[in-house]
């Protein structure tokens, strides 16, 4: 058993308290490889933002669970020793789908886990979430639960339709499970195709009415928004200019995320935008400099582009810059 505290990590409790009081949200960025991790840590250190490093079940499978955990440990040391930065860093399991997976992550040094029982019947979601909370809290690890289903792929759980969170359920769910934060569904979805709109049309607003109702039922309780990439047109266009085929890719407008960050939403999950910006940059280099074959020559610029995107989000969208 490795305690996250020995790795220099923190759980999310204090970060969320400050974020709700301060009207900003903590960024939760997914990583699967070294360049993404370097960009996230460097971008957050440079903008002085607390950060949640997110690891999905798929990321553990792709990068190897042991290597991934040592990469996170290395990232903390890099921040402290090389970047001279003391930003709070959380290592979080994204969309955990079983008790065993959550336990495995906690034993390896994660400081926070999500147990996603959102596709289960309500009572089963409560039972599973409570079981994870009871284990995690013994080690002061924080737990995120989910109520309501996002459209699209949630790791290996997929759903065609979004089912908004029912505000009537949240108080009971939080009380019965003891979770530390709650992911809700108010119109976001995973991936690059969040809304079906014609070119030039703006996507429909998120259901802020549902969010307000939820806040009334559980005042001051930390709320999490998944599926919060903005899918910037600039990078969709860059991808497509160099042979990509991302047709009608649309994300959540930045102003809406800014508005959400000022509410009880204190964690905003972003994965797709990171994938998009790196792919766009790599496509550009492959096309403009076809003689290059050293991976550092295309992964390096892709990493730099991701770092800049992260700084932009922390400063202009989530408001977390300067809050470390
Ligand atoms: O919400 C899911 C995250 O974007 C992780 O995606 O399961 O492909 O690693 P993944
Ligand atoms: P995006 O696909 O919008 O980046 O959402 C990521 C996410 O919710 C990870 O849990
Ligand atoms: Zn998610």
């Amino acid at each position: 058993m490795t305690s996250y505290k020995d790795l220099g990590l923190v759980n999310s409790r204090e970060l969320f308290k400050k974020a709700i009081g301060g009207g900003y949200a903590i960024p939760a960025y997914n990583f699967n490889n070294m360049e993404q991790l370097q960009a996230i840590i460097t971008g957050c250190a440079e903008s002085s933002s607390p950060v949640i490093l997110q690891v999905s079940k798929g990321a553990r499978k792709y990068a190897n669970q042991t290597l991934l955990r040592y990469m996170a440990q290395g990232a903390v040391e890099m921040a402290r020793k090389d970047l001279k930065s003391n930003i709070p860093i959380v290592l979080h399991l994204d969309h955990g789908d079983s008790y065993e997976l959550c336990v495995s992550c906690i034993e390896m040094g994660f400081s926070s886990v999500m147990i996603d029982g959102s596709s289960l019947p309500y009572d089963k979601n409560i039972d599973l979430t409570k079981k994870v909370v009871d284990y995690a809290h013994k080690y002061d690890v924080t737990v995120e639960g989910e109520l309501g289903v996002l459209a699209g792929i949630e790791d290996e759980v997929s759903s065609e339709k979004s089912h908004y969170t029912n505000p009537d359920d949240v108080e009971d769910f939080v009380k019965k499970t003891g979770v530390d934060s709650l992911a809700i569904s108010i119109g976001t979805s995973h991936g690059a195709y969040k809304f079906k709109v014609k070119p030039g049309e703006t996507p429909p607003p998120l259901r802020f009415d549902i969010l307000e109702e939820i806040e009334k039922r559980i005042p001051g309780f930390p709320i999490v928004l998944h599926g919060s990439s903005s899918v910037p047109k600039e990078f969709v266009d860059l991808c497509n200019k160099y042979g990509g085929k991302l047709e009608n890719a649309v994300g959540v407008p930045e102003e809406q995320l800014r508005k959400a960050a000022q509410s009880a939403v204190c964690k905003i999950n972003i994965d797709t935008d990171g994938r998009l910006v790196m792919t766009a940059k790599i496509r550009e280099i492959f096309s403009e400099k076809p003689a290059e074959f050293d991976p550092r020559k295309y992964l390096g610029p892709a990493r730099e582009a991701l770092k800049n995107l992260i700084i932009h989000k922390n400063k202009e969208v989530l408001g977390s810059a300067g809050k470390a």
Side-chain angles (χ1 to χ4, degrees):
M1 173 91 198
T2 305
S3 168
Y4 69 84
K5 292 175 187 173
D6 295 334
L7 305 182
L9 297 160
V10 293
N11 68 25
S12 60
R13 197 169 292 122
E14 282 306 306
L15 301 188
F16 288 169
K17 212 183 274 175
K18 283 193 199 161
I20 293 181
Y24 61 95
I26 312 290
Y29 297 117
N30 290 69
F31 77 97
N32 296 268
N33 64 35
M34 182 186 77
E35 283 77 9
Q36 287 174 314
L37 182 57
Q38 289 171 316
I40 296 166
I41 290 293
T42 313
C44 289
E46 284 183 20
S47 55
S48 227
S49 169
V51 64
I52 298 174
L53 295 174
Q54 292 206 137
V55 168
S56 69
K57 183 178 173 180
R60 275 180 36 123
K61 200 165 151 195
Y62 173 79
N64 179 279
Q65 62 187 49
T66 305
L67 179 57
L68 225 128
R69 133 69 167 92
Y70 280 97
M71 283 168 69
Q73 184 177 347
V76 176
E77 291 194 25
M78 178 182 88
R80 310 296 180 239
K81 289 188 186 142
D82 302 306
L83 307 177
K84 310 280 180 233
S85 168
N86 220 10
I87 54 167
I89 302 172
V90 175
L91 180 60
H92 175 79
L93 169 67
D94 190 25
H95 293 287
D97 62 353
S98 69
Y99 173 76
E100 291 72 21
L101 176 57
C102 292
V103 168
S104 163
C105 287
I106 292 167
E107 285 180 343
M108 288 182 93
F110 281 53
S111 58
S112 175
V113 293
M114 174 187 193
I115 177 69
D116 181 356
S118 61
S119 60
L120 299 173
Y122 182 71
D123 289 343
K124 292 259 181 317
N125 187 1
I126 289 181
D127 292 347
L128 176 61
T129 306
K130 184 178 172 357
K131 193 172 167 193
V132 171
V133 169
D134 288 346
Y135 179 82
H137 281 183
K138 281 197 263 184
Y139 303 98
D140 203 19
V141 167
T142 39
V143 181
E144 174 183 326
E146 180 167 334
L147 262 185
V149 181
L150 273 69
I153 309 278
E154 295 207 339
D155 210 313
E156 283 161 21
V157 187
S158 81
S159 168
E160 290 264 300
K161 271 195 172 165
S162 142
H163 305 281
Y164 299 126
T165 305
N166 181 353
D168 290 342
D169 293 337
V170 294
E171 197 182 348
D172 183 62
F173 185 83
V174 163
K175 216 179 264 169
K176 287 188 176 148
T177 58
V179 278
D180 302 282
S181 61
L182 182 67
I184 60 165
S185 174
I186 56 165
T188 62
S189 60
H190 291 106
Y193 305 92
K194 300 190 191 299
F195 304 100
K196 283 204 174 80
V197 288
K198 298 201 181 83
E201 272 181 15
T202 37
L206 299 179
R207 292 292 303 270
F208 284 99
D209 55 324
I210 298 178
L211 173 60
E212 275 167 29
E213 204 47 52
I214 290 170
E215 286 189 77
K216 275 188 208 154
R217 312 294 176 97
I218 43 173
F221 192 81
I223 301 295
V224 177
L225 268 197
H226 282 248
S228 296
S229 278
S230 293
V231 193
K233 189 173 177 313
E234 175 194 350
F235 295 111
V236 173
D237 289 349
L238 194 63
C239 254
N240 291 343
K241 180 176 170 192
Y242 292 108
K245 262 194 185 307
L246 297 168
E247 281 153 23
N248 306 320
V250 181
V252 184
E254 291 187 345
E255 321 78 74
Q256 295 205 29
L257 295 169
R258 185 75 207 103
K259 182 174 166 186
Q262 284 158 352
S263 71
V265 169
C266 60
K267 173 175 179 269
I268 290 190
N269 285 15
I270 297 162
D271 187 2
T272 295
D273 283 353
R275 298 175 178 192
L276 179 64
V277 75
M278 289 190 92
T279 303
K281 206 67 204 165
I282 290 168
R283 277 193 175 281
E284 182 185 22
I285 293 167
F286 278 179
S287 178
E288 296 285 336
K289 299 179 182 171
E292 285 295 1
F293 65 95
D294 177 346
R296 293 173 295 187
K297 296 283 165 45
Y298 50 88
L299 292 175
R303 176 178 68 190
E304 184 67 14
L306 176 57
K307 186 191 85 172
N308 292 335
L309 180 86
I310 282 169
I311 293 173
H312 164 78
K313 285 187 182 289
N314 294 350
K315 283 189 177 162
E316 312 296 338
V317 186
L318 284 83
S320 62
K323 307 291 186 186

